[in-house]
């Protein structure tokens, strides 16, 4: 329990490998004297938050991610032939079981909620009871990547489909202080909307008058100089990995922005982890360091502001 607040609650957002930055935030909170009294997590947030609630220390989680290099991570990708999915998720569940055993959520030292969504009905689930590993496995089931988790008479997928930053899930715990940790703080995202005319771009591969055959000939022609090749490469449309990552980041950034506006947490830490790609789980140490370095000054400022506000209240109440 934190020495500064009676019941601080923390909501940890999803973000695949980016979510390992939550480890660093928990470390910074502990150093500031804030130990969460309750935790809600979505996807990667449920992974880190669930392990922490189960008693794994920050140091233990740092050790786990430091040992998770590319080769070790590949062992967790048990390819499946299930329709619509790439990874079965059984290897991940075994890995989590080795860390926490068969503990149930209601028996954790810190009250915890994992967020998942019923893909058949769209109903959201706040899991506060049952096997912890099952709840985490359901919460991290990114559609199209992890096989949906069969439970509760349906199929459950990643909670980020509806609630990537589960601040409202903390309500049942009635925390005195609510802290949200997002993963969409990168500078590229622009939340504004503009109105105006659409004007088509005409580059080497965007000219509507050039047919497919001509573009293929230009692409593989040996007569083009390097300067022309570099210019064309700059004009290439985004590739699939970039499109998928930016699509995920954009809709989660918008969803988190709305959730923060509606729930108004006392502290919102929005991390810029744009240099970590969604699939780069072997960069967990870097992600945790980013979470630590970025959250430290925000937590310190929050505590200073609370101290000043408390002094002012005491001054006027005396």
């Amino acid at each position: 329990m934190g020495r500064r607040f009676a019941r601080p609650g923390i909501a940890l957002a999803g973000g695949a490998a980016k979510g390992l930055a939550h480890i660093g935030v928990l470390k910074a909170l502990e150093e500031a004297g804030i130990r969460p009294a309750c935790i809600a997590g979505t996807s990667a947030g449920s992974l880190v938050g669930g392990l922490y609630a189960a008693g794994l220390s920050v140091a233990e989680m740092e050790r786990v991610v430091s040992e998770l290099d590319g080769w070790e991570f590949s062992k967790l990708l048990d390819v499946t032939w299930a329709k619509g999915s790439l990874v079965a998720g059984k290897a991940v569940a075994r890995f989590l079981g080795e860390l926490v055993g068969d503990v149930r959520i209601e028996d954790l030292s810190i009250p915890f909620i994992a967020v998942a969504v019923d893909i058949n009905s769209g109903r959201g689930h706040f899991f506060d009871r049952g096997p912890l590993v099952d709840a985490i496995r359901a919460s991290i089931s990114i559609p199209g990547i992890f096989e949906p988790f069969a439970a509760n008479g349906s199929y459950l997928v990643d909670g980020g489909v509806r609630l990537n930053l589960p601040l409202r899930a903390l309500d049942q715990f009635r925390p005195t202080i609510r802290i949200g940790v997002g993963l969409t703080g990168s500078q590229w995202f622009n939340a504004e909307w503009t109105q105006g005319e659409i004007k088509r771009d005409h580059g080497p591969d965007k000219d509507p008058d050039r047919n497919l055959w001509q573009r293929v000939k230009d692409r593989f022609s040996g007569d083009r100089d390097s300067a022309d090749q570099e210019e064309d490469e700059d004009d290439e449309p985004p590739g699939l990995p970039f499109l998928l990552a930016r699509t995920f980041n954009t809709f989660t950034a918008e969803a988190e922005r709305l959730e923060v506006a509606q729930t108004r947490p006392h502290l919102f830490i929005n991390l810029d982890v744009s240099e970590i790609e969604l699939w780069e789980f072997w960069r967990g140490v870097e992600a945790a360091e980013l979470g630590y370095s970025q959250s430290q000054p925000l937590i310190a400022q929050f505590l200073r502001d609370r101290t000043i506000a408390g002094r002012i209240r005491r001054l006027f109440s005396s």
Side-chain angles (χ1 to χ4, degrees):
M1 193 74 68
R3 66 173 181 271
R4 296 177 185 270
F5 306 113
R7 286 189 60 78
I10 183 168
L12 304 177
K18 299 174 185 286
L20 298 178
H22 292 315
I23 298 171
V25 177
L26 290 170
K27 181 178 182 178
L29 285 170
E30 282 188 354
E31 290 182 355
I34 303 173
R35 179 172 171 79
C38 51
I39 301 172
T42 294
S43 197
S46 77
L47 173 63
V48 174
L51 294 179
Y52 189 78
L56 264 73
S57 67
V58 167
E60 288 172 319
M61 286 191 285
E62 288 176 330
R63 177 188 58 77
V64 171
V65 297
S66 70
E67 296 174 352
L68 193 65
D69 57 19
W71 172 247
E72 291 299 322
F73 174 66
S74 69
K75 295 179 182 178
L76 301 178
L77 303 180
D78 46 349
V79 177
T80 178
W81 300 110
K83 186 177 180 179
S85 304
L86 299 176
V87 180
K90 295 179 181 178
V92 171
R94 286 195 297 270
F95 176 72
L96 294 174
E98 292 172 0
L99 294 175
V100 300
D102 57 358
V103 64
R104 295 179 63 86
I105 298 174
E106 58 266 38
D107 297 327
L108 298 177
S109 57
I110 300 174
F112 172 72
I113 282 177
V115 181
V117 171
D118 182 331
I119 198 60
N120 287 323
S121 69
R123 175 180 295 175
H125 289 276
F126 293 162
F127 290 116
D128 60 358
R129 298 185 304 279
L132 175 63
V133 170
D134 287 355
I136 295 175
R137 170 62 181 83
S139 186
I140 65 173
S141 299
I142 302 173
I145 305 298
F146 278 96
E147 188 176 325
F149 190 71
N152 293 57
S154 189
Y155 289 97
L156 305 176
V157 298
D158 194 307
V161 169
R162 282 195 56 187
L163 189 64
N164 200 56
L165 179 62
L167 281 162
R168 72 186 71 174
L170 293 172
D171 290 348
Q172 74 177 65
F173 298 130
R174 298 186 178 182
T176 56
I177 295 292
R178 288 193 301 173
I179 301 171
V181 184
L183 302 166
T184 59
S186 65
Q187 297 301 308
W188 67 265
F189 180 70
N190 187 341
E192 301 299 320
W193 292 89
T194 61
Q195 182 174 341
E197 178 185 357
I198 184 172
K199 297 180 180 180
R200 181 184 294 191
D201 290 336
H202 297 295
D205 286 332
K206 300 173 186 175
D207 190 335
D209 295 327
R210 298 178 65 210
N211 59 36
L212 176 61
W213 174 241
Q214 186 62 49
R215 294 201 303 271
V216 172
K217 285 173 60 179
D218 289 348
R219 176 60 57 193
F220 293 101
S221 171
D223 297 331
R224 302 166 63 214
D225 60 37
S226 59
D228 289 338
Q229 291 178 1
E230 290 179 3
E231 181 181 356
D232 281 7
E233 288 172 359
D234 291 340
D235 285 322
E236 282 291 324
L240 183 59
F242 177 88
L243 282 173
L244 292 177
R246 276 298 168 92
T247 298
F248 173 85
N249 291 336
T250 300
F251 82 71
T252 54
E254 180 70 1
E256 288 179 13
R257 187 176 68 86
L258 294 175
E259 179 72 0
V260 169
Q262 291 173 3
T263 60
R264 301 178 65 184
H266 298 86
L267 172 61
F268 178 46
I269 302 170
N270 200 10
L271 303 172
D272 180 358
V273 284
S274 54
E275 65 187 75
I276 307 291
E277 298 293 353
L278 294 169
W279 53 86
E280 293 182 322
F281 283 90
W282 53 89
R283 298 180 65 188
V285 172
E286 296 173 64
E289 289 174 350
L290 287 172
Y292 179 74
S293 63
Q294 292 180 32
S295 62
Q296 255 194 328
L298 297 175
I299 294 168
Q301 183 61 53
F302 169 70
L303 293 177
R304 285 194 294 269
D305 291 344
R306 296 284 298 183
T307 300
I308 293 172
R311 289 173 179 172
I312 292 175
R313 284 196 299 271
R314 288 193 295 273
L315 178 64
F316 282 94
S317 62
S318 60

